[in-house]
Amino acid sequence: MNIKKLLFFCLLAFSFNLFSQVFDPVKWETKTEKISDTEYNLIAIATIDSGWHLYSQNVPENGPIPTGFSFTRTKNFELVGDTSEDEGVTVDDPVFEMRIKFFGDKAVFKQRIKVLNNELSLVEGEVEFMVCDDEKCLPPTYVDLKFNLNEAEAVEGAKSESAPLSLGFGGEEQNKILEPVKWSTSVEKINATEFVLVSTATVDKGWKLYSQNVADGGPIPTSFEYPSKEGVEFIGTTIEEDGKESMDKVFEMKIKYFKEKTEFRQKVKLTNKDITSITGEVGFMACDDERCLAPTYVDLEYDLTNTVAATSDVKDTADSEEDESSEGLWSIFIIAFFSGFVALLTPCVFPMIPMTVSFFIKQSQSKAKGIRNAIIYGLSIIIIYVLLGTIITAIFGADALNALATNVWFNLIFFLLLVVFAISFLGAFEIVLPNSWANKADRQADRGGLVGIFFMALALAIVSFSCTGPIVGTILVEAASKGGIAPVIGMLGFSTAIALPFALFAAFPGWLNTLPKSGGWLNTVKVVLGFLELALAFKFLSQADLVLQYHFLEREVFIAIWIAVFGTLSLYLFGKIQLPHDSPLKHISVGRLLFGLLTLTFTIYMIPGLWGAPLKIISAFPPPLDYSESPYGVGNSKGGAVASITDIPEGAHLLAPHDILAFNDYETGLAYAKKVGKPVMLDFTGWACVNCRKMEQNVWVDPNVLARLKNDIVLISLYVDEQIDFPEGEAPDSKLRPGKKLKNKGQMWSEFQTIKYKTNTQPYYVLMDHNEDTLIEPVAYTPDIEEYDAWLKEGIKSFKK
């Protein structure tokens, strides 16, 4: 035993003399199971007080005293194999500084015996064990055990090995704590003061670990936290490897993920050379093709005394990450490029094309010089807009932009901006930059030469801002969601489309005759853009509402708004509505008629969405189907629960789309179950749990199953990935990570499932009575309707006995 452990046990012994209170946190009871005429299972059940840990039979050297069983040996029986135990929980114990398996709440131990004398009725034994809580450990305790074979329960079809029995419901892994991602750390030394903290994730076959950057509606992203420490400066953000990006079957979106093995690298600089280690924490979510585990948090420690030479600086890794995102940058460029062409067709820009090109040709001494000046003019436009994108990126930073794009306040602010832009496009007012800016640019343009041409381009950008500003703003925010140099790339695409006509028409002036004449159609383009901006604005308001879960802008309301917007646009295109700045309309053009028919078709297409149609064409815009006032559509309360439940209890809600009365809080739901005299069904689920949705959509819809869920049980749905934080100072202690606080309610439900039911997969269903004892063995994902219904029926029957 090392010195540290010796001191620990000395303090332990001292504490026993110091406190007079007698602790008895573990109660033991026994029972027996009859396997056959000659074989029995001796079962020892430990009930453990909250906050205490009973340790496994297998504990590493220098750890706590392991639990041990001994049986009074006689010639009347013989032991078959070793004593088995529950799965338990394995964590890094801060007291003993090692990974130790322990049990909380309850533990079951089984010993198979073979009877050699049929007259044997009693087997005696003894259990030795040690228990600890987060502050103290009790000395080893010894309890006598007696197993009465005459009271043995007959077990039909028991397995020959001593293991937990299964009733056939659920999968093989439903009672297994999965750990598909293992973490290790190392440190690379750049120089005497700079290091790279390397976190390596080893991912089991078939599982995925997700990127640090995941779109809304996807899995919980991987995240790293490093507690601030005096003398340590964290440089930049944690950089990840390229990984893979593909359409994820679970979340039905394109997501970047890692398989097998990956590294995350964080650069640090030390100002205190005496620092020998740095701690951190990684939060992550792992999924395979069918399920996801609850968000998991693992402590990391980096030993600065054990380093290897750095193979590359973190910046090199960041460069490779930029290469990986080139596909996203190309999409930004293309979108911005076509947006630039749309901006050309606005009344602020289109009339300037023939005027400016003619000016260059007439004022130049030769055609070649005119073409050259027009090209310089176009390049100046590109420089001005790219400079704008560069300034935006420099002010906010590449990562800050990405963070803003997923922020509630950002979505609300951008909603308001788009509404203002839309009203401006519709003609209520114009958004213009100060006239003094344009006047100063005009005066500089009179200087001639390259400087004069540049200021001519700047004057165009300022004067046309009332039309181009909203489009530029939209591009910049879309680029912000990509991060990095995306705003610069976006402005490059937009300005290239704006500048290209000036160079082309200067080179081929005859093409100017093919341009349509300016007129009322330019204002029509501007108004159409206003309607599109208005529709897009509500996407950002919806996103903020989804994050806050206010249910202010549910699916029906969103679709109704879009129907109103695009329906009004159709009427406008058909000439039934005119705005103040429109020219008199004697007839509509073929192009306007076709576009009007397209918007009318789109409007009619959206109407069934009010009655529950999925609207796959626009599925990325409205809220999901289950985020609605009436999941079956306006005027449809399919299932009949609304009619039967007129007074919803406090803390309950009707779970869509089946209108099942459900609670999201354990204590509240249990209290209601006791009040109404019904059993409880715990539904361990997750917002990102696809198999949970499959059970709800494919199994729970069965009339028999739905009737039992509505009438015979009280449903408590516990979301293990719920990101609701605890009030300040009220976060409870973690039982799986001693010394840590729980981060949110989701982690609390996840720990509850892991400790009490020895599993961490979802969905997981538990039927229990009012004493919180299980009525039947819990089940996991059970797509067979008859099997799931039989499980419900059997559990409810056990409650009524």
Side-chain angles (χ1 to χ4, degrees), residues 764-799:
Y764 191 73
Y765 305 106
V766 180
L767 280 173
M768 69 179 196
D769 60 21
H770 299 160
N771 294 322
E772 304 176 60
D773 294 326
T774 55
L775 297 167
I776 187 173
E777 184 177 350
V779 298
Y781 178 57
T782 311
D784 188 297
I785 294 176
E786 292 184 2
E787 185 178 345
Y788 189 76
D789 184 51
W791 175 78
L792 280 173
K793 183 179 179 181
E794 185 65 27
I796 294 168
K797 181 180 178 181
S798 297
F799 176 79

Side-chain angles (χ1 to χ4, degrees), residues 119 130 157 162 321 326 328 565 618 643 668 688 695 768 779 783:
E119 296 182 1
M130 179 176 179
S162 179
E321 193 173 57
S326 60
V565 171
I618 60 169
T668 306
M695 287 291 294
M768 69 179 196
V779 298

Side-chain angles (χ1 to χ4, degrees), residues 627-649:
Y627 193 79
S628 58
E629 182 177 336
S630 178
Y632 294 103
V634 174
N636 189 339
S637 58
K638 185 177 179 182
V642 174
S644 61
I645 301 177
T646 57
D647 186 17
I648 299 176

